[in-house]
Amino acid sequence: MPPAALSVHLSIGQAYAWSVFKPPLESSLDLSGTASALPFQLGIVMLGLSAAFGGTLVERNGPRWAMFVSLVCFSSGFLVAALGAATRQYWLVVLGYGFIGGIGLGIGYISPVSTLMKWFPDRPGMATGIAIMGFGGGALIASPWSSKLLEHFGTDSGGIAATFLVHGVTYAAFMALGVLLVRVPPEGWRPAGWEPPREQGHMISTADVSARNAIRTPQFWFLWVVLCMNVTAGIGILEKAAPMIGNYFEDTDTPVSATAAAGFVALLSAANMAGRLLWSSASDLIGRKNMYRVYLGVGALMYLAIAQLGDSSKPLFVVCALVILSFYGGGFSTVPAYLKDLFGTYQVGAIHGRLLTAWSVAGVLGPYIVNKVADHQEEAGKTGPGLYSLSLTIMIALLVVGFVANELIRPVHPRFHEPATATAEAEAEAAPAEKGGDR
Amino acid sequence: MTEPTRNRTALTVAVWAWVVLPFGYGVYELVQKATQLFTG
């Protein structure tokens, strides 16, 4: 099961490497920077929307159907984009990569989540951590690979079209492994030698809540705020990482070169990816609520340290930024297990899809805050760390809001629980398809 | 080791290699770039 999940997430994680295509598109199709970002932005919006609206379908039709839909949409999105580049019709690139491919992103992102937690009931955090780490790792593969293909085919519209075409075909083949391998465990499956603990933590529910009921609970919306705040704070630093480290130390004896700043960005990507597996696995041991206390509480302290230290210590600046980015990644991968603890595994994939709208909001909010404030401070004549002090204060405040929201999360009221018979009937209905795990 | 067990092991190795090899390539490229922070 983990390779199946990874084959999908490592593919769709390519979205984070879209920036590789921006300069060639801008020069060959005479586009502005804003226009060339459109396919990516639409893709992320479609990710949130398709995960939110397609979650119930994913639960109903199973992970194999979801991975197949993701494969078809993501790959055909590249093929339509290739046609757009070849015919110099940019709207086709936006439609293909952003709209069609974006549906593939959303459905693919949630496709393995609930199945992984059913296969690994003893370590749900680690299980989802592996898959969601793959999403972070997808850009690591795609970024150098896409650059090499563009070098090979050329950066004119024909070369971009050929590169998109190779991407579409290769990702279809790569994701096919997931479609072929994915299996739902038989009903009542447990890892050898593992028994569910008799005394669960009070935050871990043994009851199930439907996706429709979940969004009526305060717990869902508190968790929405938690995810939104944690992601906003992480994106804030990720978005401006290269100029930020450059600005921070420009007035010191050891300014940071553009090459070193690129190395810093790469290191942040590694922390983002490692945090997805490390912290999510740790949440299996210390509990989801405690893990988010660390992400939000220690995260706020790290931002405070960056604000207070100014340009006095480059190593400390780097360490704090790495910790923040590892918490950003961990926040993504721990949330499915948190949902499972609160709402059970019944429709956790669909609930996760709805929660991902927090990501779409954070994706707009984080960069907007940091860019807007930095521009404003620059106009006010500030330089160095002063450019970012207000942004950092805002990020600390957002993390505190998230911390409070996490503290307010309590077990779900029994009136939202599915009646035991309804859940059993739904499972029995799904059983023929699940038998033999063939969906 | 029986034949079905051997086949299963080979399949497990193959599917893990399918995802680990490209991922390893990505990590290798990342390490090359990240070292620029200390050398660049």
Short mmCIF file of all heavy atoms in Angstrom, two decimals, chain A residues 93-150:
data_model
loop_
_atom_site.label_atom_id
_atom_site.label_comp_id
_atom_site.label_asym_id
_atom_site.label_seq_id
_atom_site.Cartn_x
_atom_site.Cartn_y
_atom_site.Cartn_z
N VAL A 93 -3.34 25.93 -21.94
CA VAL A 93 -2.38 25.55 -20.89
C VAL A 93 -3.04 25.73 -19.51
O VAL A 93 -2.95 24.86 -18.63
CB VAL A 93 -1.09 26.40 -20.97
CG1 VAL A 93 -0.12 26.02 -19.86
CG2 VAL A 93 -0.43 26.25 -22.33
N VAL A 94 -3.75 26.87 -19.36
CA VAL A 94 -4.43 27.14 -18.08
C VAL A 94 -5.53 26.11 -17.84
O VAL A 94 -5.64 25.53 -16.75
CB VAL A 94 -5.02 28.57 -18.07
CG1 VAL A 94 -5.76 28.85 -16.76
CG2 VAL A 94 -3.92 29.61 -18.28
N LEU A 95 -6.32 25.85 -18.88
CA LEU A 95 -7.41 24.87 -18.75
C LEU A 95 -6.85 23.47 -18.46
O LEU A 95 -7.35 22.77 -17.56
CB LEU A 95 -8.22 24.84 -20.06
CG LEU A 95 -9.31 23.77 -20.13
CD1 LEU A 95 -10.54 24.20 -19.34
CD2 LEU A 95 -9.72 23.49 -21.58
N GLY A 96 -5.83 23.10 -19.20
CA GLY A 96 -5.28 21.74 -19.06
C GLY A 96 -4.59 21.55 -17.72
O GLY A 96 -5.03 20.73 -16.89
N TYR A 97 -3.54 22.31 -17.48
CA TYR A 97 -2.75 22.10 -16.25
C TYR A 97 -3.52 22.54 -15.02
O TYR A 97 -3.54 21.85 -14.01
CB TYR A 97 -1.43 22.87 -16.34
CG TYR A 97 -0.52 22.55 -15.18
CD1 TYR A 97 0.38 21.49 -15.25
CD2 TYR A 97 -0.57 23.29 -14.00
CE1 TYR A 97 1.19 21.18 -14.18
CE2 TYR A 97 0.24 22.98 -12.92
CZ TYR A 97 1.12 21.93 -13.03
OH TYR A 97 1.92 21.61 -11.95
N GLY A 98 -4.18 23.72 -15.13
CA GLY A 98 -4.83 24.29 -13.94
C GLY A 98 -6.14 23.62 -13.61
O GLY A 98 -6.33 23.13 -12.49
N PHE A 99 -7.05 23.57 -14.58
CA PHE A 99 -8.41 23.07 -14.29
C PHE A 99 -8.45 21.54 -14.26
O PHE A 99 -8.77 20.93 -13.24
CB PHE A 99 -9.40 23.64 -15.31
CG PHE A 99 -10.83 23.32 -14.98
CD1 PHE A 99 -11.53 24.10 -14.06
CD2 PHE A 99 -11.48 22.25 -15.56
CE1 PHE A 99 -12.85 23.79 -13.73
CE2 PHE A 99 -12.80 21.94 -15.24
CZ PHE A 99 -13.48 22.71 -14.32
N ILE A 100 -8.08 20.93 -15.41
CA ILE A 100 -8.19 19.45 -15.49
C ILE A 100 -7.16 18.80 -14.56
O ILE A 100 -7.48 17.92 -13.76
CB ILE A 100 -8.00 18.97 -16.94
CG1 ILE A 100 -9.03 19.65 -17.85
CG2 ILE A 100 -8.12 17.44 -17.03
CD1 ILE A 100 -8.81 19.41 -19.34
N GLY A 101 -5.92 19.28 -14.66
CA GLY A 101 -4.86 18.72 -13.80
C GLY A 101 -5.15 18.97 -12.33
O GLY A 101 -4.85 18.12 -11.48
N GLY A 102 -5.74 20.14 -12.02
CA GLY A 102 -6.05 20.48 -10.62
C GLY A 102 -7.04 19.50 -10.00
O GLY A 102 -6.96 19.18 -8.81
N ILE A 103 -8.00 19.01 -10.82
CA ILE A 103 -8.94 18.00 -10.31
C ILE A 103 -8.15 16.74 -9.95
O ILE A 103 -8.39 16.10 -8.91
CB ILE A 103 -10.03 17.70 -11.36
CG1 ILE A 103 -10.88 18.95 -11.61
CG2 ILE A 103 -10.92 16.54 -10.92
CD1 ILE A 103 -11.85 18.85 -12.77
N GLY A 104 -7.17 16.40 -10.80
CA GLY A 104 -6.32 15.25 -10.51
C GLY A 104 -5.55 15.43 -9.21
O GLY A 104 -5.35 14.48 -8.45
N LEU A 105 -5.12 16.67 -8.94
CA LEU A 105 -4.39 16.94 -7.70
C LEU A 105 -5.26 16.67 -6.48
O LEU A 105 -4.85 15.99 -5.54
CB LEU A 105 -3.94 18.41 -7.64
CG LEU A 105 -2.93 18.94 -8.64
CD1 LEU A 105 -2.61 20.40 -8.36
CD2 LEU A 105 -1.66 18.13 -8.60
N GLY A 106 -6.48 17.20 -6.50
CA GLY A 106 -7.36 17.09 -5.33
C GLY A 106 -7.79 15.66 -5.06
O GLY A 106 -7.71 15.17 -3.93
N ILE A 107 -8.23 14.98 -6.13
CA ILE A 107 -8.70 13.60 -5.95
C ILE A 107 -7.52 12.69 -5.58
O ILE A 107 -7.63 11.81 -4.73
CB ILE A 107 -9.39 13.09 -7.25
CG1 ILE A 107 -10.60 13.99 -7.60
CG2 ILE A 107 -9.82 11.64 -7.12
CD1 ILE A 107 -11.74 13.97 -6.61
N GLY A 108 -6.37 12.94 -6.22
CA GLY A 108 -5.18 12.12 -5.92
C GLY A 108 -4.68 12.33 -4.51
O GLY A 108 -4.25 11.39 -3.84
N TYR A 109 -4.78 13.58 -4.03
CA TYR A 109 -4.26 13.90 -2.69
C TYR A 109 -5.01 13.11 -1.62
O TYR A 109 -4.41 12.58 -0.69
CB TYR A 109 -4.38 15.41 -2.43
CG TYR A 109 -3.63 15.87 -1.20
CD1 TYR A 109 -2.29 16.26 -1.28
CD2 TYR A 109 -4.24 15.90 0.05
CE1 TYR A 109 -1.59 16.67 -0.17
CE2 TYR A 109 -3.55 16.31 1.18
CZ TYR A 109 -2.23 16.70 1.06
OH TYR A 109 -1.54 17.09 2.19
N ILE A 110 -6.34 13.03 -1.75
CA ILE A 110 -7.11 12.35 -0.69
C ILE A 110 -7.28 10.85 -0.96
O ILE A 110 -7.73 10.12 -0.08
CB ILE A 110 -8.49 13.02 -0.46
CG1 ILE A 110 -9.33 13.01 -1.74
CG2 ILE A 110 -8.34 14.42 0.08
CD1 ILE A 110 -10.77 13.49 -1.51
N SER A 111 -6.91 10.41 -2.19
CA SER A 111 -7.22 9.02 -2.57
C SER A 111 -6.68 7.95 -1.60
O SER A 111 -7.42 6.99 -1.30
CB SER A 111 -6.76 8.74 -4.00
OG SER A 111 -5.37 8.87 -4.12
N PRO A 112 -5.45 8.04 -1.11
CA PRO A 112 -4.98 6.91 -0.28
C PRO A 112 -5.19 7.09 1.21
O PRO A 112 -4.89 6.18 1.99
CB PRO A 112 -3.47 6.88 -0.59
CG PRO A 112 -3.11 8.30 -0.85
CD PRO A 112 -4.34 8.99 -1.35
N VAL A 113 -5.70 8.27 1.63
CA VAL A 113 -5.64 8.61 3.06
C VAL A 113 -6.41 7.63 3.95
O VAL A 113 -5.84 7.04 4.87
CB VAL A 113 -6.12 10.07 3.28
CG1 VAL A 113 -6.36 10.36 4.74
CG2 VAL A 113 -5.08 11.03 2.73
N SER A 114 -7.71 7.44 3.67
CA SER A 114 -8.48 6.59 4.59
C SER A 114 -8.04 5.14 4.48
O SER A 114 -8.02 4.40 5.47
CB SER A 114 -9.97 6.76 4.36
OG SER A 114 -10.33 6.27 3.11
N THR A 115 -7.64 4.71 3.27
CA THR A 115 -7.20 3.32 3.10
C THR A 115 -5.92 3.06 3.90
O THR A 115 -5.77 2.01 4.53
CB THR A 115 -6.95 3.03 1.60
OG1 THR A 115 -8.09 3.46 0.87
CG2 THR A 115 -6.73 1.56 1.35
N LEU A 116 -5.00 4.03 3.86
CA LEU A 116 -3.76 3.87 4.62
C LEU A 116 -4.04 3.71 6.11
O LEU A 116 -3.42 2.90 6.81
CB LEU A 116 -2.85 5.08 4.40
CG LEU A 116 -1.96 5.04 3.15
CD1 LEU A 116 -1.39 6.41 2.87
CD2 LEU A 116 -0.83 4.03 3.32
N MET A 117 -5.00 4.49 6.60
CA MET A 117 -5.29 4.42 8.04
C MET A 117 -5.99 3.11 8.41
O MET A 117 -5.89 2.65 9.54
CB MET A 117 -6.11 5.64 8.47
CG MET A 117 -5.23 6.89 8.47
SD MET A 117 -5.95 8.32 9.28
CE MET A 117 -7.19 8.76 8.11
N LYS A 118 -6.69 2.52 7.42
CA LYS A 118 -7.31 1.22 7.69
C LYS A 118 -6.25 0.11 7.68
O LYS A 118 -6.33 -0.85 8.45
CB LYS A 118 -8.39 0.93 6.64
CG LYS A 118 -9.65 1.74 6.87
CD LYS A 118 -10.63 1.58 5.72
CE LYS A 118 -11.79 2.57 5.88
NZ LYS A 118 -12.51 2.79 4.63
N TRP A 119 -5.22 0.25 6.84
CA TRP A 119 -4.14 -0.73 6.81
C TRP A 119 -3.24 -0.62 8.04
O TRP A 119 -2.64 -1.60 8.47
CB TRP A 119 -3.27 -0.55 5.55
CG TRP A 119 -3.77 -1.24 4.33
CD1 TRP A 119 -4.23 -0.65 3.19
CD2 TRP A 119 -3.86 -2.65 4.09
NE1 TRP A 119 -4.60 -1.60 2.28
CE2 TRP A 119 -4.39 -2.85 2.80
CE3 TRP A 119 -3.55 -3.79 4.85
CZ2 TRP A 119 -4.60 -4.10 2.24
CZ3 TRP A 119 -3.77 -5.05 4.30
CH2 TRP A 119 -4.29 -5.19 3.02
N PHE A 120 -3.08 0.59 8.55
CA PHE A 120 -2.18 0.82 9.69
C PHE A 120 -2.94 1.44 10.86
O PHE A 120 -2.65 2.57 11.26
CB PHE A 120 -1.02 1.74 9.28
CG PHE A 120 -0.15 1.19 8.19
CD1 PHE A 120 -0.38 1.51 6.86
CD2 PHE A 120 0.92 0.34 8.49
CE1 PHE A 120 0.41 0.99 5.84
CE2 PHE A 120 1.72 -0.17 7.48
CZ PHE A 120 1.47 0.15 6.14
N PRO A 121 -3.90 0.70 11.44
CA PRO A 121 -4.67 1.28 12.55
C PRO A 121 -3.80 1.54 13.78
O PRO A 121 -4.15 2.35 14.63
CB PRO A 121 -5.72 0.21 12.84
CG PRO A 121 -5.13 -1.06 12.34
CD PRO A 121 -4.28 -0.69 11.17
N ASP A 122 -2.65 0.84 13.84
CA ASP A 122 -1.75 1.03 14.98
C ASP A 122 -0.89 2.29 14.84
O ASP A 122 -0.46 2.85 15.83
CB ASP A 122 -0.84 -0.21 15.15
CG ASP A 122 -0.15 -0.61 13.85
OD1 ASP A 122 -0.66 -0.25 12.76
OD2 ASP A 122 0.90 -1.28 13.92
N ARG A 123 -0.64 2.71 13.58
CA ARG A 123 0.20 3.90 13.37
C ARG A 123 -0.37 4.77 12.24
O ARG A 123 0.26 4.94 11.19
CB ARG A 123 1.63 3.47 13.03
CG ARG A 123 2.40 2.98 14.25
CD ARG A 123 3.76 2.48 13.89
NE ARG A 123 3.70 1.26 13.10
CZ ARG A 123 4.75 0.65 12.56
NH1 ARG A 123 5.95 1.15 12.75
NH2 ARG A 123 4.62 -0.45 11.86
N PRO A 124 -1.56 5.32 12.44
CA PRO A 124 -2.18 6.10 11.35
C PRO A 124 -1.39 7.36 10.99
O PRO A 124 -1.35 7.76 9.82
CB PRO A 124 -3.56 6.47 11.92
CG PRO A 124 -3.43 6.34 13.40
CD PRO A 124 -2.41 5.28 13.65
N GLY A 125 -0.74 7.95 11.98
CA GLY A 125 0.04 9.17 11.70
C GLY A 125 1.21 8.87 10.78
O GLY A 125 1.47 9.57 9.80
N MET A 126 1.93 7.77 11.07
CA MET A 126 3.06 7.39 10.23
C MET A 126 2.59 7.04 8.81
O MET A 126 3.22 7.42 7.83
CB MET A 126 3.79 6.19 10.84
CG MET A 126 5.01 5.77 10.08
SD MET A 126 5.34 4.00 10.23
CE MET A 126 4.05 3.30 9.22
N ALA A 127 1.46 6.33 8.74
CA ALA A 127 0.95 5.88 7.44
C ALA A 127 0.64 7.07 6.53
O ALA A 127 1.07 7.10 5.37
CB ALA A 127 -0.29 5.02 7.64
N THR A 128 -0.10 8.04 7.05
CA THR A 128 -0.44 9.19 6.21
C THR A 128 0.79 10.08 6.01
O THR A 128 0.90 10.77 4.99
CB THR A 128 -1.59 10.01 6.81
OG1 THR A 128 -1.26 10.35 8.15
CG2 THR A 128 -2.88 9.23 6.78
N GLY A 129 1.70 10.03 6.97
CA GLY A 129 2.95 10.81 6.85
C GLY A 129 3.76 10.37 5.64
O GLY A 129 4.31 11.19 4.92
N ILE A 130 3.79 9.05 5.38
CA ILE A 130 4.55 8.53 4.24
C ILE A 130 3.97 9.09 2.94
O ILE A 130 4.69 9.59 2.08
CB ILE A 130 4.51 6.98 4.21
CG1 ILE A 130 5.35 6.42 5.37
CG2 ILE A 130 5.03 6.44 2.88
CD1 ILE A 130 5.24 4.91 5.52
N ALA A 131 2.64 9.00 2.81
CA ALA A 131 2.01 9.46 1.56
C ALA A 131 2.19 10.96 1.37
O ALA A 131 2.58 11.42 0.29
CB ALA A 131 0.53 9.10 1.57
N ILE A 132 1.90 11.70 2.42
CA ILE A 132 1.91 13.16 2.28
C ILE A 132 3.34 13.69 2.18
O ILE A 132 3.58 14.74 1.59
CB ILE A 132 1.04 13.79 3.39
CG1 ILE A 132 -0.42 13.38 3.10
CG2 ILE A 132 1.16 15.30 3.45
CD1 ILE A 132 -1.43 13.73 4.15
N MET A 133 4.31 12.91 2.71
CA MET A 133 5.71 13.24 2.46
C MET A 133 5.99 13.14 0.96
O MET A 133 6.75 13.92 0.40
CB MET A 133 6.63 12.29 3.22
CG MET A 133 8.09 12.57 3.01
SD MET A 133 9.14 11.29 3.72
CE MET A 133 8.93 9.94 2.59
N GLY A 134 5.33 12.17 0.31
CA GLY A 134 5.50 12.00 -1.13
C GLY A 134 5.08 13.25 -1.89
O GLY A 134 5.71 13.63 -2.88
N PHE A 135 4.03 13.91 -1.43
CA PHE A 135 3.58 15.13 -2.10
C PHE A 135 4.68 16.20 -2.02
O PHE A 135 4.93 16.91 -2.99
CB PHE A 135 2.29 15.64 -1.46
CG PHE A 135 1.60 16.70 -2.28
CD1 PHE A 135 0.82 16.34 -3.36
CD2 PHE A 135 1.75 18.04 -1.99
CE1 PHE A 135 0.18 17.31 -4.14
CE2 PHE A 135 1.12 19.01 -2.75
CZ PHE A 135 0.33 18.65 -3.83
N GLY A 136 5.34 16.26 -0.85
CA GLY A 136 6.46 17.20 -0.70
C GLY A 136 7.64 16.79 -1.58
O GLY A 136 8.36 17.63 -2.11
N GLY A 137 7.83 15.46 -1.70
CA GLY A 137 8.97 14.97 -2.47
C GLY A 137 8.76 15.07 -3.98
O GLY A 137 9.74 15.04 -4.74
N GLY A 138 7.52 15.20 -4.41
CA GLY A 138 7.23 15.25 -5.85
C GLY A 138 7.96 16.39 -6.55
O GLY A 138 8.47 16.22 -7.67
N ALA A 139 8.03 17.52 -5.89
CA ALA A 139 8.71 18.67 -6.50
C ALA A 139 10.22 18.45 -6.58
O ALA A 139 10.87 18.96 -7.48
CB ALA A 139 8.41 19.94 -5.70
N LEU A 140 10.75 17.69 -5.62
CA LEU A 140 12.19 17.42 -5.64
C LEU A 140 12.59 16.66 -6.91
O LEU A 140 13.66 16.86 -7.46
CB LEU A 140 12.61 16.57 -4.43
CG LEU A 140 12.36 17.10 -3.04
CD1 LEU A 140 13.04 16.21 -2.03
CD2 LEU A 140 12.88 18.52 -2.91
N ILE A 141 11.69 15.75 -7.32
CA ILE A 141 11.97 14.98 -8.54
C ILE A 141 11.69 15.85 -9.76
O ILE A 141 12.49 15.93 -10.69
CB ILE A 141 11.07 13.72 -8.60
CG1 ILE A 141 11.30 12.84 -7.37
CG2 ILE A 141 11.32 12.94 -9.88
CD1 ILE A 141 10.27 11.73 -7.21
N ALA A 142 10.52 16.50 -9.75
CA ALA A 142 10.06 17.21 -10.94
C ALA A 142 10.93 18.42 -11.29
O ALA A 142 11.17 18.68 -12.47
CB ALA A 142 8.61 17.66 -10.75
N SER A 143 11.40 19.12 -10.27
CA SER A 143 12.12 20.36 -10.55
C SER A 143 13.38 20.11 -11.40
O SER A 143 13.51 20.69 -12.49
CB SER A 143 12.46 21.05 -9.22
OG SER A 143 13.04 22.27 -9.48
N PRO A 144 14.31 19.23 -10.97
CA PRO A 144 15.49 19.01 -11.84
C PRO A 144 15.15 18.27 -13.13
O PRO A 144 15.72 18.56 -14.18
CB PRO A 144 16.43 18.16 -10.96
CG PRO A 144 15.57 17.54 -9.92
CD PRO A 144 14.43 18.48 -9.71
N TRP A 145 14.16 17.36 -13.05
CA TRP A 145 13.80 16.58 -14.25
C TRP A 145 13.19 17.48 -15.32
O TRP A 145 13.58 17.41 -16.50
CB TRP A 145 12.82 15.47 -13.84
CG TRP A 145 12.37 14.59 -14.95
CD1 TRP A 145 13.17 13.87 -15.81
CD2 TRP A 145 11.02 14.32 -15.37
NE1 TRP A 145 12.40 13.18 -16.71
CE2 TRP A 145 11.07 13.43 -16.47
CE3 TRP A 145 9.77 14.73 -14.90
CZ2 TRP A 145 9.93 12.95 -17.10
CZ3 TRP A 145 8.63 14.25 -15.53
CH2 TRP A 145 8.71 13.38 -16.62
N SER A 146 12.26 18.35 -14.92
CA SER A 146 11.64 19.26 -15.89
C SER A 146 12.68 20.20 -16.49
O SER A 146 12.67 20.48 -17.69
CB SER A 146 10.54 20.10 -15.22
OG SER A 146 9.60 19.28 -14.60
N SER A 147 13.61 20.67 -15.65
CA SER A 147 14.67 21.58 -16.15
C SER A 147 15.50 20.87 -17.21
O SER A 147 15.83 21.45 -18.25
CB SER A 147 15.59 22.01 -15.01
OG SER A 147 14.86 22.69 -14.04
N LYS A 148 15.82 19.60 -16.95
CA LYS A 148 16.66 18.85 -17.92
C LYS A 148 15.89 18.61 -19.22
O LYS A 148 16.48 18.69 -20.30
CB LYS A 148 17.11 17.53 -17.29
CG LYS A 148 18.20 17.76 -16.25
CD LYS A 148 18.89 16.50 -15.82
CE LYS A 148 20.13 16.86 -15.00
NZ LYS A 148 19.93 16.91 -13.57
N LEU A 149 14.58 18.34 -19.11
CA LEU A 149 13.79 18.14 -20.34
C LEU A 149 13.72 19.43 -21.15
O LEU A 149 13.81 19.41 -22.38
CB LEU A 149 12.37 17.66 -19.98
CG LEU A 149 12.22 16.20 -19.57
CD1 LEU A 149 10.77 15.90 -19.16
CD2 LEU A 149 12.63 15.25 -20.69
N LEU A 150 13.55 20.56 -20.45
CA LEU A 150 13.49 21.84 -21.16
C LEU A 150 14.83 22.14 -21.84
O LEU A 150 14.87 22.68 -22.94
CB LEU A 150 13.11 22.96 -20.19
CG LEU A 150 11.63 23.02 -19.80
CD1 LEU A 150 11.42 23.97 -18.62
CD2 LEU A 150 10.76 23.46 -20.98
#
